[in-house]
Amino acid sequence: MRIDILTLFPEMFAPLKTSLLGKAQEKNALKINIIDIRDFSLDKHKKCDDYSFGGGPGMLMTPQPIYDAITSIYGYKKALKIYMSPKGETLNQPMVKALAKEKHIIILCGHYEGIDERIIDLVIDKEISIGDFVLTGGEIPAMALVDSVSRYIDGVLGDIASTEDESFSNGTLEYPQYTRPQTFHGLKVPDVLLSGNHQEVARWRSEQSKQITQKRRPDLIKK
Ligand code: 4FV
């Protein structure tokens, strides 16, 4: 998969160069390209924001630098063009799984009060939100989307099976997990997990998932 990210703050994306995502890029399992929108501003001072027509607090990102940046990307017409916004569809695991099937994704990060609406009319296919709260910019939401989607790309996770038996993989929350030592501060690992009886372990885990999901997220069970 190829991912192009448009931002006024390219330095914020260092996290994507570390750990699993960093390694995946080194072995070309994933191509992430960060584009500085300011490079496309035709303003003599490279200005990329201005006041809102009709008044109101804060600044808005101007359309020209964004439009020229997006349309400068090779294949942008065929790519899925996403704007991270609190007004978008809320990201969840089924959506992440669907996005992972895309060949080319372009993500636009807003900042300040947001962007000129005409960019959404002209070049955006989908608005996505990471939750009902407001951030200072779309950069952290974009990283959350890239990280979650990348887990479904071959060559990113050590074992793609990790995506099969985890929270939300089957609409429930994940069961508790333990590793060595068997006793920690007096707390013992449940005996069933030390029994070697895989059937019993699977039954215990499924029962735990049901109970935890019922207690913490009954909405998932209804769904
Ligand atoms: C956001 C969210 C979000 C709104 C104005 C950036 C901010 C500022 N994006 N899910 N929640 N964006 O709060 O995606 O430009």
Side-chain angles (χ1 to χ4, degrees), residues 182 188-197 201:
Q182 286 191 15
K188 275 178 54 52
V189 172
D191 292 336
V192 63
L193 298 179
L194 309 172
S195 67
N197 178 332
V201 168

Side-chain angles (χ1 to χ4, degrees), residues 168-186:
F168 312 112
S169 57
N170 53 7
T172 62
L173 299 179
E174 192 171 38
Y175 44 79
Q177 298 207 62
Y178 304 81
T179 185
R180 284 182 292 203
Q182 286 191 15
T183 303
F184 185 71
H185 285 245

Side-chain angles (χ1 to χ4, degrees), residues 59-61 83-91 108-115 127-142:
M59 302 294 274
L60 215 61
M61 290 172 70
Y83 173 50
M84 304 309 297
S85 155
K87 292 189 278 186
E89 207 181 327
T90 303
L91 188 66
L108 171 60
C109 304
H111 221 82
Y112 318 120
E113 294 307 305
I115 67 174
E127 291 185 65
I128 295 178
S129 171
I130 61 165
D132 297 346
F133 48 91
V134 179
L135 297 108
T136 61
E139 284 75 15
I140 291 170

